[in-house]
Amino acid sequence: MTEAAIRRTPGTPCWVSLMVHGLAATEEFYGALFGWDFHPGPQQLGPYVRGTLDGKEIAGIGQLPPDRHLPIAWTTYLATDDADTTADTIRSRGGTVGVGPLDAAEAGRMAIASDPTGAVFGIWQAAAHVGTAVAGAHGTPVWNELITRETSTVGKFYEALFDYDVEPVVSADFDFLTLRLEGRPVASLHGVGRALARDRGAHWMTYFEVDDTDAAARLVSELGGHVLQSPRESANGRLATVADPEGAVFTIVRSADH
């Protein structure tokens, strides 16, 4: 595969990862829920594995040091051609770079940042590792959405980072932006106003495709996780918001086009 074939347009969500305290237990949970197998990944920041389906990489899970008490949450990574330049832009536009930029062995170069509202995200400059290698199957990331208080200001931040075309939903009571690259929707920003949970603040939400939302939600509970919002119909399919046993929140969805 040529470099041109695997390059992802800057700003495209390309990977998701999770840092937890109990790596083995977390592998067991996601392995049972999504059918992932696990293989070692770069160890610069500690023990780290990549979840795979049929040998193709889907997502990363790392282990936090025992003395680190950070929020347990899935992190969305956005593709970049130059992690250092993007990190400089993040800082100049009012965001914060908390980790990196640093090399992840031969896999690529990355940084962990937060936007001006505090929502954490990653940037990934691919080398050997190009990101999530499967789309559309059970257990694969299908969408990423920023949940924030309001979209107008933070939308300008993301526009400054990448060459997004921003498509607003015009409504008196609905604050929603779709981010497009080369005419294709790649992510969204959802302003929820006072409904934003104080204990979480602004955050990126990962949506994982499932074959059966109701069955997957029941399995989450059986495996020690929690169903935060029961399965419900939406314009994009049947979805539920759930959390794993350590509290990492994500959405499961059977897409409307399945």
Side-chain angles (χ1 to χ4, degrees), residues 126-211:
H129 173 64
V130 298
T132 301
V134 183
H138 177 85
T140 60
V142 68
W143 192 248
N144 293 270
E145 181 173 274
L146 175 67
I147 311 297
T148 189
R149 187 172 296 278
E150 59 86 24
T151 66
S152 61
T153 302
V154 76
K156 292 180 175 62
F157 168 82
Y158 287 100
E159 281 187 85
L161 294 188
F162 302 108
D163 192 24
Y164 293 122
D165 292 320
V166 176
E167 178 186 2
V169 173
V170 179
S171 171
D173 56 358
F174 193 59
D175 181 9
F176 193 87
L177 301 178
T178 299
L179 303 181
R180 292 178 174 269
L181 289 170
E182 300 171 337
R184 182 173 59 92
V186 297
S188 52
L189 312 183
H190 188 185
V192 297
R194 294 182 179 179
L196 185 66
R198 290 186 179 182
D199 59 339
R200 293 202 65 200
H203 60 278
W204 278 90
M205 175 75 78
T206 301
Y207 288 65
F208 289 96
E209 183 76 37
V210 292
D211 293 333

Side-chain angles (χ1 to χ4, degrees), residues 87-98 113-118 121 157 161:
D88 288 342
T89 306
I90 289 168
R91 297 185 189 99
S92 71
R93 295 290 178 163
T96 302
V97 178
S114 57
D115 68 25
T117 70
F121 64 99
F157 168 82
L161 294 188

